């Protein structure tokens, strides 16, 4: 299982990635995260909805109501053009982050 501290800075990126496929709602997104990570990362509900609020405020996603479930409207989220640009920026940042961290991990292994 991956520590939430390690992945915290990339929750937004993960959510935006899933919204590239199609508009979705909270439970479905959390289920896909668990599924695509082979159960190694399970996002907490509070973390997920905090991310939704942050992404909405920044204009990276938009929300809308769709079908009703047991009398309640379900809130769906969709990535915006600004969100797509942000996602692409975070992907480039991740590549750089991996490059830097790998310098310390692989060089450390060579020293041992």
């Amino acid at each position: 299982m991956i520590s939430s501290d390690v992945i915290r800075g990339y929750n937004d990126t993960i959510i935006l990635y899933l919204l590239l496929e199609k508009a979705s709602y909270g439970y479905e997104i959390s289920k896909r995260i668990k599924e695509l990570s082979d159960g190694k990362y399970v996002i907490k509900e509070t973390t997920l909805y905090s991310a939704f609020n942050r992404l909405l405020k920044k204009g990276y996603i938009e929300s809308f109501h769709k079908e009703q479930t047991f009398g309640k409207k379900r809130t769906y989220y969709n990535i915006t053009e600004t969100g797509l640009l942000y996602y692409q920026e975070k992907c480039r940042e991740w590549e750089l982050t991996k490059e830097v961290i790998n310098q310390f991990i692989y060089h450390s292994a060579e020293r041992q």
Side-chain angles (χ1 to χ4, degrees), residues 11-12 15-16 19 26 29 43 45-63 75-77:
N11 282 323
D12 293 357
I15 292 166
L16 291 173
L19 293 176
I29 289 172
I43 192 167
E45 188 176 338
T46 54
T47 302
L48 181 62
Y49 285 94
S50 292
F52 286 151
N53 288 328
R54 185 174 50 255
L55 292 166
L56 283 164
K57 282 181 185 173
K58 291 182 177 183
Y60 298 153
I61 62 173
E62 55 194 9
S63 66
T75 303
Y76 279 74
Y77 301 92

Side-chain angles (χ1 to χ4, degrees), residues 69-110:
T69 307
F70 302 110
K72 277 183 84 176
K73 288 183 181 177
R74 183 176 281 164
T75 303
Y76 279 74
Y77 301 92
N78 194 35
I79 190 169
T80 63
E81 187 65 33
T82 307
L84 176 60
L85 294 173
Y86 177 71
Y87 169 77
Q88 292 167 340
E89 176 187 318
K90 292 298 279 184
C91 288
R92 287 188 296 274
E93 178 185 273
W94 175 248
E95 288 303 319
L96 182 59
T97 301
K98 283 193 314 185
E99 186 180 312
V100 170
I101 297 300
N102 282 341
Q103 289 297 319
F104 293 96
I105 291 173
Y106 294 122
H107 287 189
S108 171
E110 291 170 3

